[in-house]
Amino acid sequence: MSSFLRGKQSGIQNDLSASIRPELFTPDDQARYGINSQISCLAYDPVQSLLAIGTSESSYGSGKIYVFGQRRVQKILEPLRATTFNDVQFTGNRLVSVDSKNELAIWDLDTGGRIGAQVIAGHIVSIVTDPMLDWVFVGLQNGEVLAYDLDRISLSRAFRLPNFWQEKEPNVRAVSLVSLALHPRDIGKLLIGYSHGAVVYSFKQNKATQFLHYGVPPGASGGNNVGTDKIRYPRLTHALWHPSGTFVATVHDDGSLVFWDHREEKIVLARTLTQMHVDQPNSTSAQAIFAEPITDIKWCCKQNCDDSGLLISGGQPAGAAPKSMTFIDLGVTPVYATATWQSLAQYFQGKTHRELPLPAGAQAKKFLLIPRESPYFAGAQDPIAIISLLTSGELITMTFPSGYPISPTNQLHPSTFFVHPFITKVQVSSLERPRWLAMMEKRDQGEPLLKGGAEGPRPRKRFEERTIIQAAQADSTIRIWDSGHADEIENGQQLQVDMARTLNRFDDIEITTMNMAGNTGEFVVGTRTGEVVVFRWGQNRFYGKTERPQHIDPNPMGLTDISSRSEPALKEGLNPLVLYEMMQGPITAVQISNVGFVAVGSELGFLSLIDLRTPAIIYQAPMTDFAKQEKRTSFLKGHHSKSDAPPKEWPVVIEFGVMTLDEDKYSSICCFVGTNLGKVITFKILPGQNGSYSVQLAGVVAFDDKIISLNPIEADTGKPAVATGASVAGLREGRSVNGVVVAVTEKEIRIFRPANSKGASKEFDDILCDAASVAELELQGFAVIGVFGDQTARAFSIPGLKEIGRAPLPMIDAGRSTNTTVTPTGDVFARTGPSEMAVIHCWGSGQSLQQSPDTMINPKLECPPRPTISNLQWISGTQYVSPLDLDILVGGPDRPASKRMLEAAAQEKRNIHSGAAGGPSNPSQEGWGDYLTRQLNERTEKLNIMGDSMDGLQQQSQGWATDVNKYISKQKRSFVMNSVKSKFF
């Protein structure tokens, strides 16, 4: 009976939800966008061109590993138990991870599952991998080094290195391991960094061959000029190789950067970022400089590994602002055999120093280099970009070595947008599919950073409307992309809007609200400082003009043409059109219609309507004009309080529609405005002379609490009664739209016929509604879907307002549930944490979040061969260790051949049988087995050449000695004959 009465009261004769059964309201956990928790580690694979991001455990869930490729390609690797990932590294088309519980895990990137895992007895401090090795070298805090066999998924029993520094100095306490690094060209050497110094270990000799101990003598300033009256031993924090392996650098906690000739165990230069020779006594008293610790360092090189430089985060004087990263360009390394100590010290002072600026108030905690193609030299050969992890938890991408910011738009996966930098506001709009397919941005952009992976097959649902996410970043950039419906995304590109350039300032820009028109794609943005900007799709007339935007005088309460502020790199996209400086406090609500009208509401209780055709402001009014003056009397006259003053009221929800109001005989364009105090104000937009329009107040309906959602629908069909070009054109033909408005507040749903009817309502049971919308279940009907503060979603029938179903949404962050959005297709966009958003489809079958079907590994991409020692190094006595030798040295003589070697041998046999034997013409496409064979042949050939050369040298020497003897004998005979002749003649 109540449903029947509500239908009569609301003016809807048909049951628009009659075909929707309760079992149809079973939400699917469809997708995630963003990063679930704080980022803890990064990794990049140059061969497959993939990016891995590891996160830490928090109140928002366990740590995860996100692996991103090109476009929307991704995999999410989830551990079996809650943990924090401390390190991730790519090796051999697999991913190796170390977590806070000291578990070493191997992941299959195509399936997203674990291949194997082992909990290590001890605290893991560092791991090192190599693409050409089947080993992970694990450094423990107690100084021991273990080897994990990637082929056998177990620890090697034949390899365990002790704490060499503790053996060298048994009386020293608390010697812990800090870092590990394989020699970049000779895998037979391992650089072990301890807290007290660095050690070079030789696999071939099975012993530590060099010890590098840095001490600051009395009188020397050291890194921080503290305690100069005695000898100091700063704690080591990093140890790394020169790209050619000729030198070693150690970093210490006092900010010192020490360069070593590790063969001689001699310091070449000790310096900081600002001072040189800090290890040498200085008679002059210098002012104490306290430097921040160096948090990360990479020794980079070009294609020529001898042309190198140092990229450093941290190490700046304490209190320096703004913070930056430092790149020291060292240039080409002097020839070691002919260089003097002075020339080497001069070399390590660097040719140039370059500061790479960072956002204000943040410092780089660690960073990741993006090489062009080589996975060797510690991932630092010929890099093109830097991805830095800031202390704030955000990411920033910069060019290398110039340090110019790189926008992640169409470079990285949309999930990274949530931390690049943090997202401050998210809006969701429905856009018609043909309109979205035409919105493909054309912008000057460098080569893609991520090129790996391939998108998996997805159904082609071909929804007529695409769900478009608009995300406002902390740097005033807005990025727009299609969230998809778990279907194939035809236009996977992202759009970008730069509000800083549009407003011609870079400070004090906070975006408070956004909206996009469903048919035209026009976009409107409101800020906290009271500006409203309208963007329109089209060609950029100012493309390529890099000069600074011309100054435009302020125009309070007026409209200004700002089309000249388009981005110079944008050829076609969303260009700024009009700036409205409302100057009435923060913008609280904006709505742009499909027929050229924009409505704007501000926190100081002001409402404006703009006609974009002219453009012109066609209506302005304060909210006080619509407040009903209620006269109240008191028995105690003269006693008044401040609470008697009317509370502030401002617009929070605005919608446009086309329908017949009250007793009108015609339909008109309507604007519905919902306020924070529960009023729904209806305006009629009427045509005037000369193509102009006027606005007329139609009525006000009062509710008891804040308006959450306004949904104008057709009473007969339930379809949205929105203002479109077709519906407005029908008004000229006398078409009438029988419409109602479904209004949802925090405490009730009401269906009424505007502008003054009360309609039918239903109150919620002791719970507040955070978001709601009228949603369509295709071919079944319409219902009101709401998301509530108790982390549930509920569906109500129209017009009976009977509860159809209720489902829990445990993934929603209850503290951010007011930022939830419900779309007309029945999708819920809700925040699960500070930097992650869930997409939930209410008309589903109860499916949990599914793994991505994308393919991450391209098996045709072969890893290039590892750089080896030069001929000169080999001749001078450096012992060459091949990967095969290392397998024997680490795994023992009884270790069977690895799967990679067996596969390479089997492939070689197949090539022989098929008549395709022979090495590849391109060395970069060479397989691992072919590489081993070639290395052995080259080494044998060099030995033969060397032997032939020595034999030739011996023959030449003998021939030269014979010629000398013959010459001397001839001279003797001549001397004797001349003497005899002189006596007789």
Side-chain angles (χ1 to χ4, degrees), residues 160 223 260 277 322 324 426 465 508 556 614 626 671 686 741 765 857 882 921 937 950:
R160 191 182 190 97
W260 299 82
H277 305 289
S324 62
V426 175
E465 289 189 347
D508 194 23
T614 313
F626 316 116
C671 178
L686 304 174
V741 173
D765 301 330
I857 299 300
S882 68
S921 59
N937 293 337
M950 297 301 292

Side-chain angles (χ1 to χ4, degrees), residues 534-595:
V534 179
F535 296 84
R536 178 173 288 172
W537 184 267
Q539 298 282 341
N540 182 10
R541 296 184 292 113
F542 300 91
Y543 168 70
K545 299 181 179 180
T546 57
E547 59 269 15
R548 187 176 179 83
Q550 61 181 357
H551 176 73
I552 300 176
D553 293 331
N555 185 17
M557 301 298 292
L559 299 177
T560 305
D561 181 7
I562 55 169
S563 57
S564 61
R565 293 179 178 177
S566 298
E567 298 179 59
L570 181 65
K571 190 173 184 179
E572 182 180 3
L574 285 171
N575 296 290
L577 179 66
V578 173
L579 169 64
Y580 173 40
E581 298 174 76
M582 194 172 190
M583 311 308 290
Q584 293 292 330
I587 304 301
T588 57
V590 293
Q591 185 70 21
I592 185 165
S593 72
N594 296 303
V595 291

Side-chain angles (χ1 to χ4, degrees), residues 35 97 266 339 520 601 666 707 777 790 952 981:
I35 307 297
S97 69
K266 181 176 181 180
T520 63
Y666 60 91
I707 303 297
L777 176 55
D790 60 350
K981 289 180 180 180

Side-chain angles (χ1 to χ4, degrees), residues 439-453:
M439 297 175 70
M440 301 189 72
E441 190 178 78
K442 297 178 182 177
R443 179 187 297 270
D444 293 343
Q445 201 168 34
E447 61 177 301
L449 298 180
L450 303 181
K451 307 172 187 177

